[in-house]
Amino acid sequence: MRQQSFQKALSLMTETGFRLFFVASLLFAGLTALYNHWLCLAELGLVLILYFYFQTGITRRKKEILRYLDHMTSGVDAASRRTMIASPLPIVIFRPDTDDIIWSNDRFLHLTGDPDHLFETKLSALVPSFQSQWLLDGDAQSPDPVPVGDRQYLVYGNLVSTGGEEEFLATTYWVDVTEYAHIADTFQDTRLVAGILQIDNYEDLLRGLEEGERSAIRTEINHRLALWMEKAGGILQRYERDQYLLLLESGPFRTLYQKKFAILDEIRQVQSPNGVAATLSIGFGSHGASPRELFQFASLALDMALSRGGDQAVVKDGGDFHFFGGRSKEVERRTKVKSRVVASALSELLASTDLVIVMGHAYPDLDVVGAVAGVCAIARKQGVPIRAVRAPSPYPAEDLVHQLMDLPEYRNVFIPAEEAVRLAGPNTIVVVVDTNRPEQTQAPALLTSGARIVVIDHHRRAASYIEKPALSFHDPYASSASELVAELDQYILDSGALKRTEAEAILAGIVLDTKGFTMRTGSRTFETAAFLRKAGADIAQVNKFFQHNLRDTVTKFQIIQGAQPYHGNMAITLTDRPVGRAIAGQAADELLNIAGIEASFVLFPEAGQAYLSARSSSNVNVQVICETLGGGGNAATAGAQFPGKTPEEVLPILKNAIDSYFSEEEG
């Protein structure tokens, strides 16, 4: 009796509305008989065929549902089965591979507003926003609420095999969480976001102006900032002459985020009478556990913005950094004060250590080796043993390293990375030069050895960087790491303490990164070069480090020959054979000597992956482009790596990144 009752209930659910369709069809056929008997017979035959097809489908679906319910309710009595059918929750059973609905209860049909259609209907047609991939991935709950009309539903479900190898039925239970979702959205929209804003060039803006002119500029800046924050419903409070504290809610902050912080462009319209345009650096902290943590996030974000050259906004969203702006050409903003302070602090650190280990980035170039030589001279002056990590051959600056190793002072200084890690301890100082990214160092394990870390670098910071060093000398306005180390040498070393080969190594690093003093040079760069020249550096000897054999020269010009223009003022070229990073970089440099070319990109393969070498001689910031590709560098020199890809596969990715760069700039 229970089974018959259950079968009857199931029949009512699976056949609702369709019998009326066949009755209407028969009546229509009867009316047709009054005019044409043959047409009537044809219609009756068609109705019978459709009815047979319908009944066959109904029988098949009944069997599937009964088999599924037997599996789901094995050992449970018929009353429990009926409870599933009359569940207070909307339920739908469907095929996840085809999206076809097998069965649903009345509550689900009422939910979708389509109670007259049950079979031959796809779930995506009733609920377009529903995706079933999470079920196929083995999850039991949808990752996000599913909107249906003006309601939100959290969907729970599971898969059950119907017997075939890859035949599954999915059962989903829809829980109305509209009120909960609304509360969650309100909570997210009203979470606090803290920000710290700094005027980058406050002193330059006001230098040499009358008090009335200074007051007008300050008033104009304050007015624009106040109006910007007023539209966002936030609070703007000035607490230093050039710094402001910002506080706003996440909802309005997302609007500022989507507009890419247009205040960066707007504030540049404020100019002093001498033509200096105001620029801002902004650090935002969001998703912090407390106001204190939000302020810490904002401080870290501002430090990141300033270390990348300023004129940009950086958002620290929990553990991630997001960058906006930073496209303007860097202007030298350096003083000797910082160099003197760092030199004094470094001397104190070295006085309290037993060993110094210095390393640069993997595949070290002349700038790395030059900086290493300068640090070795400082350690020698302080009487501290020093070791330098030696890279596996070959690498661009290998000849220079061999020249240093020939000096008595460098006997046993260069050691393999494995030995350096073994020697490192709590009383060791590890000096990292020419990079601030831990994954790019020659021996990343040294950073976690317990040793104190010192970072000397000129590259703009990326999202990953060496955190909490004991001492950091980071200056994105410097031409090279060699220049920074040479400035420290001037304050620490006595006259004649720097060996001639060391001075030539440092000068070679500066020449490399400035392209022969033609790019990224400031007054301090030439002062440093003069110091090295007095220390005995021979320009002719330095130039020999940049000589190449005939084969490499031919290879370089073959790369250049394949260059194609892009976006009018750019050149892109690729080669399908390994050429070495040094040759690729030189080819990129040479492309900038072509009239009308302001940025160049060279793609080449090496060790099973593709590499990109990018250069710029104008306001095109290749570092921003390379950052979107997972790379980095500075505005004039940057690069990226693409594991497992060929240059041909990377080419469209690179073009998309360039297109995005210009579309955002135009927007």
Side-chain angles (χ1 to χ4, degrees):
M1 186 69 180
R2 289 180 179 178
Q3 183 69 18
Q4 291 177 354
S5 176
F6 175 76
Q7 293 280 3
K8 183 177 179 181
L10 186 60
S11 297
L12 290 174
M13 289 183 181
T14 55
E15 300 176 15
T16 302
F18 284 94
R19 294 190 180 280
L20 293 176
F21 168 77
F22 288 111
V23 171
S25 299
L26 290 174
L27 290 175
F28 183 76
L31 292 174
T32 306
L34 299 176
Y35 304 97
N36 190 320
H37 294 287
W38 293 107
L39 181 59
C40 173
L41 292 174
E43 290 179 350
L44 288 173
L46 179 61
V47 170
L48 289 173
I49 292 172
L50 291 175
Y51 185 76
F52 176 77
Y53 174 76
F54 169 73
Q55 285 296 118
T56 302
I58 290 294
T59 302
R60 176 171 55 84
R61 284 177 171 81
K62 284 181 180 179
K63 291 179 179 179
E64 288 180 346
I65 295 171
L66 288 172
R67 185 166 62 249
Y68 176 75
L69 293 178
D70 283 337
H71 180 84
M72 291 289 293
T73 61
S74 179
V76 183
D77 60 18
S80 298
R81 300 186 184 187
R82 180 175 292 278
T83 299
M84 179 180 176
I85 295 174
S87 169
L89 294 177
I91 300 176
V92 60
I93 301 174
F94 68 99
R95 295 183 182 276
D97 53 341
T98 63
D99 209 30
D100 291 328
I101 292 179
I102 300 299
W103 173 83
S104 72
N105 62 2
D106 290 338
R107 288 186 179 275
F108 180 80
L109 295 177
H110 180 73
L111 175 153
T112 59
D114 193 12
D116 296 329
H117 297 84
L118 179 61
F119 300 112
E120 307 303 333
T121 301
K122 293 185 179 296
L123 182 57
S124 58
L126 294 179
V127 187
S129 58
F130 179 76
Q131 301 291 332
S132 60
Q133 185 60 45
W134 55 274
L135 282 164
L136 300 175
D137 293 339
D139 295 332
Q141 176 182 324
S142 60
D144 299 299
V146 178
V148 182
D150 58 352
R151 310 296 292 177
Q152 298 277 336
Y153 291 86
L154 195 60
V155 184
Y156 298 87
N158 64 293
L159 292 178
V160 174
S161 174
T162 59
E165 186 174 339
E166 294 185 357
E167 295 182 3
F168 294 93
L169 288 180
T171 300
T172 53
Y173 306 84
W174 299 59
V175 180
D176 191 337
V177 294
T178 305
E179 286 72 20
Y180 163 79
H182 175 70
I183 293 172
D185 290 342
T186 302
F187 170 73
Q188 291 297 335
D189 288 343
T190 55
R191 293 189 71 176
L192 288 180
V193 175
I196 302 175
L197 183 150
Q198 178 173 312
I199 302 172
D200 295 326
N201 52 351
Y202 185 83
E203 295 290 345
D204 295 336
L205 275 172
L206 306 182
R207 183 177 291 117
L209 302 183
E210 298 291 338
E211 183 56 37
E213 295 173 321
R214 293 186 178 190
S215 178
I217 290 177
R218 285 194 292 260
T219 300
E220 179 67 14
I221 291 175
N222 290 335
H223 173 72
R224 289 177 183 267
L225 293 178
L227 184 61
W228 172 64
M229 195 49 43
E230 182 181 350
K231 292 179 180 178
I235 297 174
L236 174 74
Q237 180 63 49
R238 180 179 176 182
Y239 68 96
E240 294 285 350
R241 61 177 185 171
D242 59 348
Q243 289 191 336
Y244 300 77
L245 180 65
L246 311 176
L247 200 63
L248 67 162
E249 294 181 337
S250 292
F253 173 74
R254 278 198 295 272
T255 302
L256 302 181
Y257 187 100
Q258 292 165 359
K259 293 181 178 180
K260 297 180 172 58
F261 303 103
I263 189 65
L264 295 171
D265 298 322
E266 184 180 343
I267 208 68
R268 292 194 204 102
Q269 298 173 15
V270 180
Q271 294 189 0
S272 67
N274 52 23
V276 178
T279 63
L280 301 177
S281 289
I282 316 175
F284 283 104
S286 67
H287 291 87
S290 65
R292 178 183 293 275
E293 189 172 53
L294 284 176
F295 186 78
Q296 292 173 347
F297 285 174
S299 298
L300 287 172
L302 179 63
D303 289 343
M304 177 70 77
L306 294 173
S307 70
R308 289 164 54 86
D311 190 25
Q312 58 192 282
V314 177
V315 179
K316 182 169 174 55
D317 182 4
D320 298 325
F321 285 98
H322 306 277
F323 306 101
F324 300 86
R327 296 166 180 250
S328 62
K329 193 172 183 178
E330 294 173 349
V331 179
E332 184 182 22
R333 292 195 285 264
R334 304 175 61 204
T335 67
K336 294 183 178 181
V337 175
K338 185 175 182 180
S339 299
R340 285 198 300 268
V341 171
V342 173
S344 176
L346 181 59
S347 296
E348 292 179 6
L349 276 175
L350 295 183
S352 63
T353 186
D354 296 333
L355 177 66
V356 176
I357 299 176
V358 59
M359 67 174 173
H361 56 71
Y363 203 70
D365 55 15
L366 293 174
D367 190 26
V368 169
V369 178
V372 167
V375 173
C376 287
I378 293 174
R380 187 171 64 246
K381 168 65 170 57
Q382 299 294 105
V384 182
I386 185 164
R387 297 292 183 268
V389 177
R390 186 177 70 237
S393 180
Y395 53 93
E398 193 168 4
D399 291 342
L400 178 55
V401 169
H402 287 305
Q403 288 192 25
L404 289 171
M405 292 173 66
D406 290 338
L407 299 176
E409 293 82 1
Y410 281 81
R411 188 172 292 114
N412 301 323
V413 167
F414 286 93
I415 60 176
E418 298 79 10
E419 184 177 349
V421 174
R422 182 179 59 82
L423 292 175
N427 205 32
T428 301
I429 290 179
V430 174
V431 181
V432 180
V433 297
D434 203 32
T435 184
N436 58 66
R437 302 179 68 171
E439 70 276 9
Q440 291 185 354
T441 58
Q442 290 174 274
L446 281 174
L447 303 177
T448 57
S449 63
R452 288 172 290 177
I453 309 298
V454 174
V455 178
I456 304 174
D457 185 38
H458 69 112
H459 295 99
R460 301 209 302 179
R461 278 187 182 172
S464 63
Y465 60 96
I466 299 172
E467 297 184 4
K468 299 180 180 179
L471 180 63
S472 176
F473 189 19
H474 182 257
D475 193 339
Y477 305 108
S479 69
S480 57
S482 293
E483 178 183 334
L484 293 175
V485 172
E487 289 188 349
L488 299 180
D489 288 341
Q490 294 180 64
Y491 292 111
I492 298 176
L493 301 182
D494 298 328
S495 177
L498 193 66
K499 303 297 180 182
R500 181 180 62 83
T501 305
E502 291 174 329
E504 289 172 350
I506 299 173
L507 184 57
I510 296 175
V511 171
L512 174 70
D513 276 18
T514 61
K515 310 300 182 291
F517 295 94
T518 61
M519 299 176 61
R520 293 181 58 80
T521 56
S523 60
R524 302 289 298 281
T525 308
F526 290 99
E527 290 177 10
T528 302
F531 160 74
L532 296 171
R533 185 71 182 90
K534 291 177 182 178
D538 186 348
I539 301 299
Q541 184 62 35
V542 169
N543 287 334
K544 290 182 179 180
F545 295 132
F546 297 91
Q547 291 179 344
H548 297 280
N549 57 39
L550 180 61
R551 185 188 63 182
D552 289 343
T553 302
V554 171
T555 299
K556 178 174 65 175
F557 285 102
Q558 285 176 341
I559 296 173
I560 296 172
Q561 188 177 19
Q564 298 292 329
Y566 194 69
H567 268 279
N569 63 343
M570 294 187 173
I572 300 178
T573 183
L574 60 83
T575 178
D576 58 0
R577 62 190 182 93
V579 296
R581 300 184 213 181
I583 299 301
Q586 291 175 26
D589 290 332
E590 288 288 344
L591 285 168
L592 295 180
N593 294 328
I594 300 175
I597 299 300
E598 298 181 358
S600 61
F601 301 87
V602 177
L603 288 166
F604 60 99
E606 184 177 301
Q609 59 184 329
Y611 281 81
L612 169 65
S613 185
R615 301 290 188 270
S616 173
S617 62
S618 68
N619 288 328
V620 176
N621 192 325
V622 291
Q623 190 245 0
V624 173
I625 296 174
C626 287
E627 268 194 342
T628 63
L629 301 172
N634 55 52
T637 305
Q641 302 177 18
F642 305 89
K645 292 186 179 295
T646 64
E648 290 79 5
E649 293 172 334
V650 174
L651 182 60
I653 301 174
L654 171 61
K655 289 183 176 180
N656 287 337
I658 295 173
D659 293 341
S660 298
Y661 173 86
F662 282 102
S663 64
E664 290 179 7
E665 195 170 65
E666 293 169 359

